[in-house]
């Protein structure tokens, strides 16, 4: 089975950071050397360097959301105990800080799960990026799959709380190593599995580690966070 070695990393940790407004987000989200950096101030977040994360950024009062995919850059053990998060796509970080952010009702549920995708006689491992009741997006494809192809999806060693089983889908768009899929809703097994999986992912996000922007921060230009880790500082 191709692609297994590169796909065996653990699922991403789910984090949430609530800001009052986009001005606060801009103060805390930095772009340095083409990377987005943000400090997640939480002493109880026990994640090591390199751990993959999905960060949900929300703006209070507007029910707006953006998802950033990245990893833990390092931990700060000083007075501002927490972890620095790194996002390799600085353009995405800039868009998240410039807004407007997308309403959660208009977004698929973001997730990071390893799945097995079967198409005709070929089988490959890839990552599930997001899903809704209608479709999903996968990445890390190692074998060619054409638009219009019918595929079967199955979670690899599903973690506790996630359903066992499989579903069927059609490839509607393929770019590079990613593909957009449409679930075959006329299949009863697919409808049941997708409904259970979406509910399970919603439950996972309810348990995400969450912090709220401190009220005393960003007042009078004072941003409560440690210096950027060994990098020259450049705000968005």
């Amino acid at each position: 089975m191709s692609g297994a070695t590169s796909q065996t990393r653990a699922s991403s940790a789910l984090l949430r950071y609530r800001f009052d407004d986009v001005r606060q987000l801009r103060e805390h989200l930095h772009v340095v050397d083409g990377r987005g950096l943000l400090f997640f101030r939480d002493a109880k977040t026990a994640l090591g360097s390199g751990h993959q994360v999905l960060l949900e950024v929300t703006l209070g009062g507007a029910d707006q959301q953006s998802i950033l995919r990245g990893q833990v850059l390092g931990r700060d053990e000083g007075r501002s105990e927490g972890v620095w998060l790194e996002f390799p796509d600085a353009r995405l970080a800039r868009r998240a800080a410039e807004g407007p952010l997308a309403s959660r009702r208009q977004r698929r549920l973001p997730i990071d799960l390893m799945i097995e995708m079967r198409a005709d006689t070929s089988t490959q491992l890839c990552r599930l990026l997001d899903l809704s009741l209608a479709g999903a997006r996968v990445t890390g494809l190692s074998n060619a799959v054409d638009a219009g192809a019918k595929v079967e999806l199955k979670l690899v060693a599903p973690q506790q709380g996630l359903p066992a089983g499989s579903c069927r889908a059609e490839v509607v768009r393929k770019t590079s190593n990613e593909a957009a899929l449409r679930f075959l809703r006329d299949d009863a097994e697919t409808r049941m599995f997708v409904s259970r999986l979406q509910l399970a992912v919603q439950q996972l996000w309810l348990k995400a580690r969450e912090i709220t922007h401190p009220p005393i921060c960003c007042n009078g230009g004072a941003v409560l966070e440690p210096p950027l880790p060994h990098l020259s500082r450049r705000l968005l």
Side-chain angles (χ1 to χ4, degrees), residues 31-33 35 37 73 86 227-234:
V31 171
V32 179
D33 295 338
R35 294 170 290 168
L37 298 177
L73 179 61
E86 176 186 9
L228 287 169
H230 308 296
L231 296 172
S232 59
R233 180 166 176 161
R234 179 159 59 91

Side-chain angles (χ1 to χ4, degrees), residues 40-174:
F40 194 81
R41 186 187 180 114
D42 182 17
K44 296 182 180 180
T45 301
L47 300 174
S49 298
H51 197 114
Q52 301 294 310
V53 299
L54 290 180
L55 175 68
E56 180 188 45
V57 175
T58 67
L59 300 183
D63 193 30
Q64 291 183 318
Q65 167 231 51
S66 185
I67 295 291
L68 293 174
R69 297 176 182 269
Q71 65 181 5
V72 175
L73 179 61
R75 186 166 191 86
D76 187 280
E77 301 288 355
R79 295 177 60 185
S80 301
E81 189 174 355
V83 292
W84 278 101
L85 305 179
E86 176 186 9
F87 308 102
D89 189 347
R91 294 171 299 177
L92 179 60
R94 286 185 183 275
R95 287 197 297 271
E98 290 170 356
L101 305 181
S103 167
R104 274 179 262 182
R105 293 186 296 271
Q106 299 173 347
R107 293 180 62 91
R108 290 176 173 172
L109 288 171
I111 196 60
D112 179 16
L113 297 173
M114 185 187 300
I115 63 171
E116 180 182 88
M117 187 169 76
R118 299 177 182 174
D120 296 328
T121 59
S122 67
T123 301
Q124 59 184 313
L125 293 181
C126 51
R127 308 294 297 193
L128 180 64
L129 291 177
D130 55 44
L131 81 153
S132 68
L133 290 177
R137 189 164 54 100
V138 299
T139 190
L141 301 178
S142 56
N143 298 332
V145 57
D146 298 324
K150 300 296 193 299
V151 298
E152 182 180 4
L153 307 176
K154 181 180 180 180
L155 293 180
V156 176
Q159 63 194 71
Q160 184 177 5
L162 295 179
S166 62
C167 63
R168 299 172 62 237
E170 178 183 1
V171 178
V172 295
R173 187 170 60 257
K174 170 73 164 57

Side-chain angles (χ1 to χ4, degrees), residues 140-205:
L141 301 178
S142 56
N143 298 332
V145 57
D146 298 324
K150 300 296 193 299
V151 298
E152 182 180 4
L153 307 176
K154 181 180 180 180
L155 293 180
V156 176
Q159 63 194 71
Q160 184 177 5
L162 295 179
S166 62
C167 63
R168 299 172 62 237
E170 178 183 1
V171 178
V172 295
R173 187 170 60 257
K174 170 73 164 57
T175 59
S176 183
N177 68 338
E178 292 190 6
L181 310 176
R182 178 170 54 237
F183 295 127
L184 301 182
R185 300 289 296 173
D186 58 345
D187 180 76
E189 182 180 359
T190 294
R191 291 196 304 271
M192 180 178 298
F193 177 78
V194 171
S195 296
R196 292 172 61 198
L197 180 58
Q198 186 186 51
L199 179 60
V201 172
Q202 289 174 334
Q203 293 300 314
L204 288 177
W205 272 105

